[in-house]
Amino acid sequence: MCGIISYVGDKDINSVLMAGLWRLEYRGYDSSGVASVMDGELEVRKVEGRLMNLQEILSDKPLGGKVGIGHTRWATHGEPSDQNAHPQVDCNENIAIVHNGIIENYYTLKEELIKKKHIFKSNTDTEVIAHLIEENYDGDLKESVLKSASRLEGSFAIAVIAASEPDEIVAYRYGSPLIVGLGKNENIVASDIPAVLDHTRRIVILSDGEMVVLRKDKVEFYNNKGERIEKEEREIKWSPTSLDKGKYPHYMLKEIYEQPEVIERNIALRMEDEGLNFGESFHFSPHELAHLSHIVIQACGTSWHAGYIGKYLFESLARIHTEVDISSEFRYRNPVMDGEPLIMAISQSGETADTLAGLREAKAKFLNVLSLVNVRGSTIDRESDSTIYLNAGPEIGVASTKAYTSQIFQLYLFDLYLSKLKWTMDAPEIEKRVKEVNEIPEKMRKILGSADNIRKIAEKYKDSKDFMFIGRGINYPSALEGALKLKEISYIHATGYPAGEMKHGPIALIDENTPVVAIAPHSSVYEKMLNNIEELKSRGARIIIIASLGDKRVKELSNDVFYIPPSEESLSPILIALPLQLFAYYIAVLNGRDVDRPRNLAKSVTVE
Ligand code: M6R
């Protein structure tokens, strides 16, 4: 979380830093700040709240100078406030630092530094780094950063400037991403590639334990022993995302509406006449996959829900035993990995700290990792043996929408591929399913075309305090996702449950104030779902059913119905996702929430 931008060059430091911060805002937005060296002195501007606040401060009191660092924060240690915003500075106001990550031994270091008479002004772990560098400083910023980094535990990407060395920036990466943009008479360090693309397309990605010293006309890379190293330069061919919402009031709505196009794009890329093509980063041989007996999927949040759907898919179609785990659990539970399972990491951003750590756990056990990632060149992409790209285009809204349906889509196609290799599906069956896949974008468009019905239903329920989402089989994870989508953007409590589990406890919560969203398209568990809905209805719940078009039975069971076009059961989660996303979106908007930047959240969760 947190976004870092630092610049050395002749352009106006205010515009460069602010433009970079706007591109990084998705990483955190509870406070922000910038610093530069002006006439031999450190100048710092920082403020709590959205980036607009910083922009206003800079309009009144702009920075000058040729080197600058900037930061947009997602608070870990210390509440969002002016004082806790980065940059953090040392006692002498010589050194300024911006940081992404968590310093796990900050408390011990702070005690040690307080004993040495350092005065702390914030509650952040980051300030410890500023004072540590000050403690180690004897006129060489690079050396003092190196020495200080060796004392830090946890994860950190930092960029540091010093008033006493006004021509350079020193940056160090350990556990949180950092990339360098190489320009002509200017150089940049940032958390993410789009933040440098307005200036250059030549980039270098730092690895853990590497440091870079940037001057206007020189960039030097070092390892953690302080030895010079050579780094590979890459040219970025794609363009930075337009920050334009087009005709939509929110990115989230725009991204919801982009979903048919995303699936169409993936159909074109993946489904060739000769068979399925998972792209240039997919390196498994058919032979290897034909012998696969066990898959372990690990991911967080919405990506975990997609992974859960993957479990139902792989077990029912390709008949491969599949486990799915939340990455923050997977990484610490020392799972038994007998039989060389394929590990799958699913991540929109490709930077989620827990998913990355899970991937590294698997690699340490010499297991093959296949990732599903939207952001090319992200750390998870780079560290995986193979990657299937989501090709969803940049997702800016914090709530994942189009990446989620693309994740399910890729899992479905990968499942068909495995089913063919393992002979669990015959050719006519595969052909039938391929035909169904081709119909998905049109079905999605039909659902989006009736968004107004969902808005009307949302209006009826917008003031409810608790929601229950239920589903069974492959749409049990859809229920989890529906509840997550609603709570994360509306701040209304919502729980997802397998419908058959309600009578084992949660049914006690049901009364006439509890809306239940029941996912009940025609499927192998349809009758079971109707029984579960009856049980809730007889206890007074207000029932909203998502059902297959033409289903008359659900009418008498429900207060409201939203119909979706019928589909093959294993593809239904892709269609079900749309009304769930729209329902959450409208309820959040009707409650006046900032749906694209909900409180306390960030798009990219790079701390554990
Ligand atoms: O980038 P990732 O897919 O790895 O992110 C995982 C979760 O942080 C993410 O899905 C989160 O739950 C979203 N806010 C859901 O909308």
Side-chain angles (χ1 to χ4, degrees), residues 570-590:
S570 42
L571 276 168
S572 65
I574 300 185
L575 299 179
I576 298 283
L578 272 57
L580 294 174
Q581 293 164 355
L582 287 166
F583 186 66
Y585 172 80
Y586 287 122
I587 291 210
V589 170
L590 291 164

Side-chain angles (χ1 to χ4, degrees), residues 166-434:
D167 303 319
E168 73 178 35
I169 301 166
V170 179
Y172 192 105
R173 172 190 169 148
Y174 187 82
S176 298
L178 216 46
I179 62 113
V180 178
L182 306 170
K184 212 170 171 195
N185 274 327
E186 60 178 359
N187 291 298
I188 314 174
V189 172
S191 299
D192 198 359
I193 297 169
V196 309
L197 290 184
D198 288 336
H199 309 281
T200 179
R201 292 183 164 268
R202 293 168 52 215
I203 65 138
V204 173
I205 297 173
L206 288 189
S207 298
D208 283 349
E210 289 180 352
M211 184 171 72
V212 60
V213 179
L214 297 101
R215 293 190 191 84
K216 189 172 116 176
D217 48 5
K218 194 157 82 173
V219 176
E220 290 168 345
F221 297 96
Y222 297 87
N223 64 17
N224 60 359
K225 296 190 193 85
E227 297 158 345
R228 281 284 298 275
I229 52 170
E230 294 301 317
K231 292 285 296 173
E232 187 200 342
E233 183 184 319
R234 307 171 182 214
E235 198 191 331
I236 301 297
K237 302 233 163 58
W238 43 273
S239 296
T241 332
S242 151
L243 293 178
D244 188 9
K245 294 188 199 114
K247 60 182 180 178
Y248 297 96
H250 297 101
Y251 287 112
M252 182 178 173
L253 193 62
K254 176 172 176 257
E255 288 158 8
I256 289 173
Y257 273 84
E258 280 170 358
Q259 291 176 103
E261 208 183 292
V262 171
I263 301 299
E264 261 164 3
R265 187 183 311 145
N266 277 295
I267 288 174
L269 288 167
R270 301 269 172 262
M271 294 165 68
E272 295 178 342
D273 292 345
E274 310 75 56
L276 292 170
N277 178 352
F278 291 102
E280 70 280 13
S281 292
F282 185 80
H283 306 299
F284 290 101
S285 69
H287 177 78
E288 244 174 312
L289 293 174
H291 290 89
L292 190 64
S293 63
H294 184 184
I295 295 177
V296 177
I297 302 174
Q298 54 104 14
C300 301
T302 288
S303 296
W304 174 66
H305 298 152
Y308 214 143
I309 289 168
K311 173 182 165 68
Y312 280 90
L313 288 173
F314 294 139
E315 295 198 331
S316 65
L317 304 186
R319 305 296 298 152
I320 299 178
H321 168 61
T322 306
E323 283 172 62
V324 59
D325 212 344
I326 290 176
S327 301
S328 54
E329 291 300 313
F330 176 79
R331 65 183 287 192
Y332 290 118
R333 80 178 160 92
N334 193 17
V336 179
M337 291 283 132
D338 291 350
E340 298 198 14
L342 170 68
I343 308 297
M344 293 185 73
I346 307 183
S347 175
Q348 186 285 130
S349 62
E351 298 293 352
T352 301
D354 285 317
T355 312
L356 179 60
L359 177 158
R360 287 176 178 165
E361 277 294 305
K363 301 285 304 173
K365 291 184 162 83
F366 305 103
L367 296 169
N368 254 328
V369 177
L370 166 64
S371 291
L372 262 60
V373 159
N374 198 31
V375 179
R376 287 168 190 249
S378 57
T379 314
I380 292 178
D381 175 20
R382 284 183 285 115
E383 295 195 15
S384 300
D385 298 292
S386 282
T387 304
I388 298 177
Y389 295 117
L390 303 180
N391 301 311
E395 194 181 64
I396 295 174
V398 162
S400 186
T401 52
K402 59 178 180 170
Y404 172 66
T405 42
S406 179
Q407 286 165 347
I408 305 171
F409 184 77
Q410 312 296 340
L411 287 164
Y412 184 79
L413 291 191
F414 186 51
D415 190 27
L416 288 190
Y417 186 64
L418 292 174
S419 304
K420 189 175 175 201
L421 292 176
K422 291 187 149 294
W423 296 94
T424 56
M425 212 182 267
D426 57 18
E429 176 67 18
I430 294 184
E431 210 173 298
K432 191 183 118 218
R433 285 172 184 272
V434 165

